Amino acid sequence: MMNHPAELDIRQLAVDELPLAEEIARQVWPSAYRDVITPEQIEYMLQWMYSLETMSREVTEQNIVYDLLSIDGVPVGFASYGPYENSTAKLHKLYILPEYQHRGLGTKLMRHVVDEAKKGNFKELILNVNKQNTQAVNAYIKFGFHKKRETVDDIGNGFVMDDYIMAYDLSV
């Protein structure tokens, strides 16, 4: 039996396919954030950020794109990104299923987002990352992001997002 290289595909999700992003997020978040925020905050944020209503509004009203990463037709990750302000784009989300992490897929997906932002003539790509999520912070630094500033945002229900705003220069 011959081994064939895995076929990697990145494509934009249609609004009716957005539940695929929620499904991946619900598999990733409990392990990704268990040492960073409480289970109650994880569930609160998942319900807030990944409701079909929220994601649909992002796509239809804010020009945010959800791109699905698949290997051999199996969804394994996604990124969401779009215009932010002036000549800046924002990466809102980038997640790879735990069993597919540490294979370079996050880097491939990030390169795709950078390429798309460059095509849109954006000069900078920013993202928020929890200050306690050192694995993600270090991965973004390795990719070429730098810490731009810190922010603490009240997201309701007694929860806050305590983040770094990180930036990537798209002119390079």
Side-chain angles (χ1 to χ4, degrees):
M1 186 183 228
M2 291 183 63
N3 253 348
H4 71 283
E7 184 179 323
L8 188 126
D9 179 59
I10 300 173
R11 68 173 180 84
Q12 188 172 335
L13 288 174
V15 171
D16 66 339
E17 296 176 302
L18 290 172
L20 286 169
E22 178 191 10
E23 186 178 318
I24 291 168
R26 285 197 170 276
Q27 291 179 58
V28 172
W29 273 57
S31 63
Y33 294 109
R34 72 173 164 246
D35 297 328
V36 178
I37 56 178
T38 65
E40 293 79 16
Q41 184 168 349
I42 289 171
E43 185 55 33
Y44 175 78
M45 292 179 72
L46 283 168
Q47 288 180 19
W48 164 48
M49 296 167 65
Y50 291 98
S51 72
L52 187 54
E53 178 185 341
T54 297
M55 292 188 293
S56 298
R57 190 172 44 252
E58 289 174 343
V59 169
T60 59
E61 298 174 16
Q62 300 171 29
N63 296 317
I64 293 174
V65 173
Y66 280 79
D67 284 346
L68 182 71
L69 171 67
S70 298
I71 297 177
D72 292 333
V74 177
V76 300
F78 75 95
S80 96
Y81 56 92
Y84 184 63
E85 56 186 30
N86 303 321
S87 58
T88 300
K90 184 169 185 177
L91 174 66
H92 295 278
K93 304 166 181 78
L94 191 150
Y95 295 106
I96 304 294
L97 290 174
E99 60 269 31
Y100 289 91
Q101 292 175 5
H102 308 293
R103 298 185 190 183
L105 297 172
T107 300
K108 283 183 181 5
L109 194 51
M110 181 63 81
R111 281 195 189 113
H112 167 77
V113 171
V114 165
D115 289 345
E116 292 299 306
K118 285 180 177 180
K119 286 180 198 171
N121 293 315
F122 292 101
K123 304 293 181 238
E124 181 180 58
L125 178 66
I126 65 164
L127 59 83
N128 286 41
V129 60
N130 187 292
K131 291 174 192 168
Q132 304 306 312
N133 192 347
T134 53
Q135 183 177 336
V137 170
N138 291 336
Y140 291 132
I141 289 170
K142 183 178 175 186
F143 189 87
F145 281 82
H146 68 274
K147 294 175 188 172
K148 190 170 182 170
R149 64 181 185 273
E150 298 181 14
T151 182
V152 178
D153 297 308
D154 184 338
I155 59 170
N157 216 38
F159 300 121
V160 298
M161 292 194 322
D162 187 11
D163 292 348
Y164 291 120
I165 308 287
M166 298 186 76
Y168 182 88
D169 182 357
L170 292 168
S171 65
V172 292

PDB file of all heavy atoms in Angstrom, residues 1-29:
ATOM      1  N   MET A   1       0.840  -1.172   0.000  1.00  0.00           N
ATOM      2  CA  MET A   1       0.000   0.000   0.000  1.00  0.00           C
ATOM      3  C   MET A   1       0.895   1.248   0.000  1.00  0.00           C
ATOM      4  O   MET A   1       1.830   1.351   0.769  1.00  0.00           O
ATOM      5  CB  MET A   1      -0.890  -0.023   1.254  1.00  0.00           C
ATOM      6  CG  MET A   1      -1.904   1.070   1.298  1.00  0.00           C
ATOM      7  SD  MET A   1      -2.801   0.937   2.868  1.00  0.00           S
ATOM      8  CE  MET A   1      -4.443   1.044   2.268  1.00  0.00           C
ATOM      9  N   MET A   2       0.586   2.203  -0.863  1.00  0.00           N
ATOM     10  CA  MET A   2       1.401   3.401  -0.983  1.00  0.00           C
ATOM     11  C   MET A   2       0.906   4.483  -0.021  1.00  0.00           C
ATOM     12  O   MET A   2      -0.284   4.667   0.160  1.00  0.00           O
ATOM     13  CB  MET A   2       1.338   3.950  -2.412  1.00  0.00           C
ATOM     14  CG  MET A   2       2.034   3.069  -3.418  1.00  0.00           C
ATOM     15  SD  MET A   2       2.007   3.806  -5.055  1.00  0.00           S
ATOM     16  CE  MET A   2       2.954   5.289  -4.798  1.00  0.00           C
ATOM     17  N   ASN A   3       1.880   5.165   0.571  1.00  0.00           N
ATOM     18  CA  ASN A   3       1.563   6.329   1.395  1.00  0.00           C
ATOM     19  C   ASN A   3       1.464   7.542   0.493  1.00  0.00           C
ATOM     20  O   ASN A   3       2.321   7.726  -0.366  1.00  0.00           O
ATOM     21  CB  ASN A   3       2.665   6.562   2.427  1.00  0.00           C
ATOM     22  CG  ASN A   3       2.238   6.193   3.826  1.00  0.00           C
ATOM     23  OD1 ASN A   3       1.054   5.973   4.065  1.00  0.00           O
ATOM     24  ND2 ASN A   3       3.190   6.135   4.731  1.00  0.00           N
ATOM     25  N   HIS A   4       0.456   8.339   0.670  1.00  0.00           N
ATOM     26  CA  HIS A   4       0.363   9.565  -0.117  1.00  0.00           C
ATOM     27  C   HIS A   4       0.469  10.759   0.822  1.00  0.00           C
ATOM     28  O   HIS A   4       0.062  10.689   1.980  1.00  0.00           O
ATOM     29  CB  HIS A   4      -0.956   9.608  -0.905  1.00  0.00           C
ATOM     30  CG  HIS A   4      -2.169   9.814  -0.053  1.00  0.00           C
ATOM     31  ND1 HIS A   4      -2.717   8.804   0.695  1.00  0.00           N
ATOM     32  CD2 HIS A   4      -2.922  10.907   0.181  1.00  0.00           C
ATOM     33  CE1 HIS A   4      -3.765   9.267   1.353  1.00  0.00           C
ATOM     34  NE2 HIS A   4      -3.916  10.547   1.071  1.00  0.00           N
ATOM     35  N   PRO A   5       1.066  11.855   0.320  1.00  0.00           N
ATOM     36  CA  PRO A   5       1.140  13.038   1.175  1.00  0.00           C
ATOM     37  C   PRO A   5      -0.268  13.558   1.473  1.00  0.00           C
ATOM     38  O   PRO A   5      -1.161  13.480   0.630  1.00  0.00           O
ATOM     39  CB  PRO A   5       1.927  14.050   0.349  1.00  0.00           C
ATOM     40  CG  PRO A   5       2.039  13.488  -1.023  1.00  0.00           C
ATOM     41  CD  PRO A   5       1.633  12.048  -0.983  1.00  0.00           C
ATOM     42  N   ALA A   6      -0.433  14.036   2.681  1.00  0.00           N
ATOM     43  CA  ALA A   6      -1.740  14.573   3.077  1.00  0.00           C
ATOM     44  C   ALA A   6      -2.066  15.796   2.230  1.00  0.00           C
ATOM     45  O   ALA A   6      -1.210  16.615   1.940  1.00  0.00           O
ATOM     46  CB  ALA A   6      -1.727  14.932   4.554  1.00  0.00           C
ATOM     47  N   GLU A   7      -3.324  15.883   1.832  1.00  0.00           N
ATOM     48  CA  GLU A   7      -3.773  17.039   1.066  1.00  0.00           C
ATOM     49  C   GLU A   7      -4.294  18.094   2.026  1.00  0.00           C
ATOM     50  O   GLU A   7      -5.269  17.879   2.745  1.00  0.00           O
ATOM     51  CB  GLU A   7      -4.873  16.642   0.074  1.00  0.00           C
ATOM     52  CG  GLU A   7      -5.284  17.803  -0.814  1.00  0.00           C
ATOM     53  CD  GLU A   7      -6.343  17.417  -1.822  1.00  0.00           C
ATOM     54  OE1 GLU A   7      -6.295  16.276  -2.342  1.00  0.00           O
ATOM     55  OE2 GLU A   7      -7.217  18.266  -2.089  1.00  0.00           O
ATOM     56  N   LEU A   8      -3.618  19.233   2.031  1.00  0.00           N
ATOM     57  CA  LEU A   8      -3.974  20.331   2.907  1.00  0.00           C
ATOM     58  C   LEU A   8      -4.790  21.339   2.112  1.00  0.00           C
ATOM     59  O   LEU A   8      -4.427  21.687   0.997  1.00  0.00           O
ATOM     60  CB  LEU A   8      -2.693  20.985   3.423  1.00  0.00           C
ATOM     61  CG  LEU A   8      -2.880  22.022   4.503  1.00  0.00           C
ATOM     62  CD1 LEU A   8      -2.016  21.669   5.690  1.00  0.00           C
ATOM     63  CD2 LEU A   8      -2.488  23.372   3.958  1.00  0.00           C
ATOM     64  N   ASP A   9      -5.897  21.787   2.697  1.00  0.00           N
ATOM     65  CA  ASP A   9      -6.767  22.734   2.010  1.00  0.00           C
ATOM     66  C   ASP A   9      -7.203  23.825   2.990  1.00  0.00           C
ATOM     67  O   ASP A   9      -7.528  23.531   4.135  1.00  0.00           O
ATOM     68  CB  ASP A   9      -8.012  21.998   1.473  1.00  0.00           C
ATOM     69  CG  ASP A   9      -8.977  22.937   0.778  1.00  0.00           C
ATOM     70  OD1 ASP A   9      -8.576  23.596  -0.196  1.00  0.00           O
ATOM     71  OD2 ASP A   9     -10.141  23.020   1.228  1.00  0.00           O
ATOM     72  N   ILE A  10      -7.160  25.062   2.527  1.00  0.00           N
ATOM     73  CA  ILE A  10      -7.678  26.185   3.311  1.00  0.00           C
ATOM     74  C   ILE A  10      -8.722  26.872   2.446  1.00  0.00           C
ATOM     75  O   ILE A  10      -8.430  27.282   1.322  1.00  0.00           O
ATOM     76  CB  ILE A  10      -6.573  27.186   3.702  1.00  0.00           C
ATOM     77  CG1 ILE A  10      -5.499  26.500   4.552  1.00  0.00           C
ATOM     78  CG2 ILE A  10      -7.185  28.381   4.461  1.00  0.00           C
ATOM     79  CD1 ILE A  10      -4.274  27.364   4.845  1.00  0.00           C
ATOM     80  N   ARG A  11      -9.936  26.958   2.981  1.00  0.00           N
ATOM     81  CA  ARG A  11     -11.006  27.591   2.214  1.00  0.00           C
ATOM     82  C   ARG A  11     -11.908  28.388   3.137  1.00  0.00           C
ATOM     83  O   ARG A  11     -12.035  28.103   4.320  1.00  0.00           O
ATOM     84  CB  ARG A  11     -11.826  26.565   1.448  1.00  0.00           C
ATOM     85  CG  ARG A  11     -12.649  25.656   2.337  1.00  0.00           C
ATOM     86  CD  ARG A  11     -13.589  24.748   1.547  1.00  0.00           C
ATOM     87  NE  ARG A  11     -14.349  23.890   2.429  1.00  0.00           N
ATOM     88  CZ  ARG A  11     -15.471  24.240   3.040  1.00  0.00           C
ATOM     89  NH1 ARG A  11     -15.993  25.426   2.882  1.00  0.00           N
ATOM     90  NH2 ARG A  11     -16.103  23.376   3.831  1.00  0.00           N
ATOM     91  N   GLN A  12     -12.553  29.390   2.561  1.00  0.00           N
ATOM     92  CA  GLN A  12     -13.455  30.250   3.322  1.00  0.00           C
ATOM     93  C   GLN A  12     -14.762  29.515   3.612  1.00  0.00           C
ATOM     94  O   GLN A  12     -15.315  28.851   2.740  1.00  0.00           O
ATOM     95  CB  GLN A  12     -13.735  31.529   2.532  1.00  0.00           C
ATOM     96  CG  GLN A  12     -14.498  32.558   3.315  1.00  0.00           C
ATOM     97  CD  GLN A  12     -14.590  33.891   2.577  1.00  0.00           C
ATOM     98  OE1 GLN A  12     -13.761  34.203   1.741  1.00  0.00           O
ATOM     99  NE2 GLN A  12     -15.598  34.668   2.897  1.00  0.00           N
ATOM    100  N   LEU A  13     -15.219  29.644   4.844  1.00  0.00           N
ATOM    101  CA  LEU A  13     -16.495  29.045   5.230  1.00  0.00           C
ATOM    102  C   LEU A  13     -17.651  29.949   4.820  1.00  0.00           C
ATOM    103  O   LEU A  13     -17.585  31.171   4.987  1.00  0.00           O
ATOM    104  CB  LEU A  13     -16.561  28.842   6.744  1.00  0.00           C
ATOM    105  CG  LEU A  13     -15.688  27.741   7.334  1.00  0.00           C
ATOM    106  CD1 LEU A  13     -15.752  27.773   8.863  1.00  0.00           C
ATOM    107  CD2 LEU A  13     -16.101  26.378   6.813  1.00  0.00           C
ATOM    108  N   ALA A  14     -18.706  29.350   4.327  1.00  0.00           N
ATOM    109  CA  ALA A  14     -19.960  30.067   4.093  1.00  0.00           C
ATOM    110  C   ALA A  14     -20.660  30.208   5.444  1.00  0.00           C
ATOM    111  O   ALA A  14     -20.365  29.465   6.398  1.00  0.00           O
ATOM    112  CB  ALA A  14     -20.841  29.283   3.119  1.00  0.00           C
ATOM    113  N   VAL A  15     -21.590  31.140   5.533  1.00  0.00           N
ATOM    114  CA  VAL A  15     -22.292  31.390   6.804  1.00  0.00           C
ATOM    115  C   VAL A  15     -22.913  30.105   7.353  1.00  0.00           C
ATOM    116  O   VAL A  15     -22.816  29.843   8.560  1.00  0.00           O
ATOM    117  CB  VAL A  15     -23.348  32.508   6.639  1.00  0.00           C
ATOM    118  CG1 VAL A  15     -24.226  32.623   7.877  1.00  0.00           C
ATOM    119  CG2 VAL A  15     -22.675  33.843   6.359  1.00  0.00           C
ATOM    120  N   ASP A  16     -23.496  29.285   6.490  1.00  0.00           N
ATOM    121  CA  ASP A  16     -24.148  28.068   6.998  1.00  0.00           C
ATOM    122  C   ASP A  16     -23.145  26.995   7.444  1.00  0.00           C
ATOM    123  O   ASP A  16     -23.532  25.990   8.022  1.00  0.00           O
ATOM    124  CB  ASP A  16     -25.150  27.514   5.982  1.00  0.00           C
ATOM    125  CG  ASP A  16     -24.509  27.011   4.701  1.00  0.00           C
ATOM    126  OD1 ASP A  16     -23.364  27.410   4.388  1.00  0.00           O
ATOM    127  OD2 ASP A  16     -25.151  26.220   3.997  1.00  0.00           O
ATOM    128  N   GLU A  17     -21.858  27.222   7.194  1.00  0.00           N
ATOM    129  CA  GLU A  17     -20.822  26.278   7.622  1.00  0.00           C
ATOM    130  C   GLU A  17     -20.121  26.727   8.909  1.00  0.00           C
ATOM    131  O   GLU A  17     -19.261  26.017   9.425  1.00  0.00           O
ATOM    132  CB  GLU A  17     -19.757  26.132   6.528  1.00  0.00           C
ATOM    133  CG  GLU A  17     -20.264  25.534   5.237  1.00  0.00           C
ATOM    134  CD  GLU A  17     -19.179  25.512   4.184  1.00  0.00           C
ATOM    135  OE1 GLU A  17     -18.636  26.588   3.851  1.00  0.00           O
ATOM    136  OE2 GLU A  17     -18.850  24.405   3.714  1.00  0.00           O
ATOM    137  N   LEU A  18     -20.477  27.891   9.437  1.00  0.00           N
ATOM    138  CA  LEU A  18     -19.817  28.426  10.623  1.00  0.00           C
ATOM    139  C   LEU A  18     -19.868  27.506  11.848  1.00  0.00           C
ATOM    140  O   LEU A  18     -18.949  27.543  12.671  1.00  0.00           O
ATOM    141  CB  LEU A  18     -20.374  29.813  10.962  1.00  0.00           C
ATOM    142  CG  LEU A  18     -19.977  30.913   9.970  1.00  0.00           C
ATOM    143  CD1 LEU A  18     -20.737  32.203  10.275  1.00  0.00           C
ATOM    144  CD2 LEU A  18     -18.482  31.150   9.965  1.00  0.00           C
ATOM    145  N   PRO A  19     -20.891  26.654  11.995  1.00  0.00           N
ATOM    146  CA  PRO A  19     -20.850  25.719  13.124  1.00  0.00           C
ATOM    147  C   PRO A  19     -19.597  24.827  13.138  1.00  0.00           C
ATOM    148  O   PRO A  19     -19.218  24.326  14.200  1.00  0.00           O
ATOM    149  CB  PRO A  19     -22.135  24.898  12.954  1.00  0.00           C
ATOM    150  CG  PRO A  19     -23.090  25.873  12.311  1.00  0.00           C
ATOM    151  CD  PRO A  19     -22.215  26.635  11.327  1.00  0.00           C
ATOM    152  N   LEU A  20     -18.934  24.644  11.999  1.00  0.00           N
ATOM    153  CA  LEU A  20     -17.666  23.893  11.987  1.00  0.00           C
ATOM    154  C   LEU A  20     -16.619  24.598  12.855  1.00  0.00           C
ATOM    155  O   LEU A  20     -15.848  23.945  13.555  1.00  0.00           O
ATOM    156  CB  LEU A  20     -17.135  23.755  10.556  1.00  0.00           C
ATOM    157  CG  LEU A  20     -17.847  22.761   9.647  1.00  0.00           C
ATOM    158  CD1 LEU A  20     -17.384  22.932   8.206  1.00  0.00           C
ATOM    159  CD2 LEU A  20     -17.610  21.341  10.133  1.00  0.00           C
ATOM    160  N   ALA A  21     -16.585  25.933  12.805  1.00  0.00           N
ATOM    161  CA  ALA A  21     -15.644  26.694  13.630  1.00  0.00           C
ATOM    162  C   ALA A  21     -15.983  26.527  15.112  1.00  0.00           C
ATOM    163  O   ALA A  21     -15.087  26.336  15.943  1.00  0.00           O
ATOM    164  CB  ALA A  21     -15.654  28.170  13.235  1.00  0.00           C
ATOM    165  N   GLU A  22     -17.267  26.596  15.436  1.00  0.00           N
ATOM    166  CA  GLU A  22     -17.672  26.405  16.832  1.00  0.00           C
ATOM    167  C   GLU A  22     -17.265  25.014  17.324  1.00  0.00           C
ATOM    168  O   GLU A  22     -16.750  24.865  18.444  1.00  0.00           O
ATOM    169  CB  GLU A  22     -19.182  26.575  17.000  1.00  0.00           C
ATOM    170  CG  GLU A  22     -19.620  26.330  18.435  1.00  0.00           C
ATOM    171  CD  GLU A  22     -21.122  26.221  18.625  1.00  0.00           C
ATOM    172  OE1 GLU A  22     -21.864  26.149  17.632  1.00  0.00           O
ATOM    173  OE2 GLU A  22     -21.548  26.195  19.796  1.00  0.00           O
ATOM    174  N   GLU A  23     -17.473  24.008  16.499  1.00  0.00           N
ATOM    175  CA  GLU A  23     -17.141  22.634  16.880  1.00  0.00           C
ATOM    176  C   GLU A  23     -15.649  22.497  17.188  1.00  0.00           C
ATOM    177  O   GLU A  23     -15.261  21.882  18.186  1.00  0.00           O
ATOM    178  CB  GLU A  23     -17.548  21.693  15.738  1.00  0.00           C
ATOM    179  CG  GLU A  23     -17.393  20.235  16.046  1.00  0.00           C
ATOM    180  CD  GLU A  23     -17.874  19.372  14.876  1.00  0.00           C
ATOM    181  OE1 GLU A  23     -18.918  19.688  14.279  1.00  0.00           O
ATOM    182  OE2 GLU A  23     -17.173  18.386  14.579  1.00  0.00           O
ATOM    183  N   ILE A  24     -14.812  23.094  16.347  1.00  0.00           N
ATOM    184  CA  ILE A  24     -13.359  23.035  16.574  1.00  0.00           C
ATOM    185  C   ILE A  24     -13.008  23.799  17.839  1.00  0.00           C
ATOM    186  O   ILE A  24     -12.248  23.302  18.684  1.00  0.00           O
ATOM    187  CB  ILE A  24     -12.599  23.576  15.342  1.00  0.00           C
ATOM    188  CG1 ILE A  24     -12.760  22.601  14.172  1.00  0.00           C
ATOM    189  CG2 ILE A  24     -11.122  23.810  15.671  1.00  0.00           C
ATOM    190  CD1 ILE A  24     -12.303  23.141  12.821  1.00  0.00           C
ATOM    191  N   ALA A  25     -13.559  24.998  18.014  1.00  0.00           N
ATOM    192  CA  ALA A  25     -13.272  25.808  19.209  1.00  0.00           C
ATOM    193  C   ALA A  25     -13.650  25.048  20.475  1.00  0.00           C
ATOM    194  O   ALA A  25     -12.897  25.050  21.455  1.00  0.00           O
ATOM    195  CB  ALA A  25     -14.016  27.135  19.141  1.00  0.00           C
ATOM    196  N   ARG A  26     -14.795  24.381  20.463  1.00  0.00           N
ATOM    197  CA  ARG A  26     -15.239  23.644  21.647  1.00  0.00           C
ATOM    198  C   ARG A  26     -14.321  22.461  21.959  1.00  0.00           C
ATOM    199  O   ARG A  26     -14.238  22.019  23.104  1.00  0.00           O
ATOM    200  CB  ARG A  26     -16.681  23.183  21.487  1.00  0.00           C
ATOM    201  CG  ARG A  26     -17.649  24.351  21.667  1.00  0.00           C
ATOM    202  CD  ARG A  26     -19.078  23.905  21.921  1.00  0.00           C
ATOM    203  NE  ARG A  26     -19.895  25.037  22.316  1.00  0.00           N
ATOM    204  CZ  ARG A  26     -19.981  25.505  23.554  1.00  0.00           C
ATOM    205  NH1 ARG A  26     -19.319  24.918  24.523  1.00  0.00           N
ATOM    206  NH2 ARG A  26     -20.735  26.556  23.828  1.00  0.00           N
ATOM    207  N   GLN A  27     -13.609  21.949  20.957  1.00  0.00           N
ATOM    208  CA  GLN A  27     -12.650  20.871  21.205  1.00  0.00           C
ATOM    209  C   GLN A  27     -11.301  21.421  21.671  1.00  0.00           C
ATOM    210  O   GLN A  27     -10.597  20.767  22.433  1.00  0.00           O
ATOM    211  CB  GLN A  27     -12.452  20.036  19.941  1.00  0.00           C
ATOM    212  CG  GLN A  27     -13.677  19.214  19.572  1.00  0.00           C
ATOM    213  CD  GLN A  27     -13.455  18.418  18.317  1.00  0.00           C
ATOM    214  OE1 GLN A  27     -12.538  17.617  18.243  1.00  0.00           O
ATOM    215  NE2 GLN A  27     -14.291  18.649  17.308  1.00  0.00           N
ATOM    216  N   VAL A  28     -10.942  22.625  21.221  1.00  0.00           N
ATOM    217  CA  VAL A  28      -9.630  23.197  21.526  1.00  0.00           C
ATOM    218  C   VAL A  28      -9.608  23.925  22.870  1.00  0.00           C
ATOM    219  O   VAL A  28      -8.668  23.765  23.655  1.00  0.00           O
ATOM    220  CB  VAL A  28      -9.187  24.169  20.407  1.00  0.00           C
ATOM    221  CG1 VAL A  28      -7.925  24.920  20.797  1.00  0.00           C
ATOM    222  CG2 VAL A  28      -8.988  23.431  19.088  1.00  0.00           C
ATOM    223  N   TRP A  29     -10.620  24.747  23.134  1.00  0.00           N
ATOM    224  CA  TRP A  29     -10.587  25.651  24.281  1.00  0.00           C
ATOM    225  C   TRP A  29     -10.354  24.976  25.633  1.00  0.00           C
ATOM    226  O   TRP A  29      -9.563  25.486  26.417  1.00  0.00           O
ATOM    227  CB  TRP A  29     -11.871  26.485  24.308  1.00  0.00           C
ATOM    228  CG  TRP A  29     -11.782  27.727  23.480  1.00  0.00           C
ATOM    229  CD1 TRP A  29     -11.484  27.820  22.158  1.00  0.00           C
ATOM    230  CD2 TRP A  29     -11.989  29.058  23.929  1.00  0.00           C
ATOM    231  NE1 TRP A  29     -11.511  29.121  21.751  1.00  0.00           N
ATOM    232  CE2 TRP A  29     -11.831  29.901  22.832  1.00  0.00           C
ATOM    233  CE3 TRP A  29     -12.323  29.609  25.157  1.00  0.00           C
ATOM    234  CZ2 TRP A  29     -11.966  31.277  22.919  1.00  0.00           C
ATOM    235  CZ3 TRP A  29     -12.474  30.981  25.247  1.00  0.00           C
ATOM    236  CH2 TRP A  29     -12.281  31.801  24.135  1.00  0.00           C
TER     237      TRP A  29
END
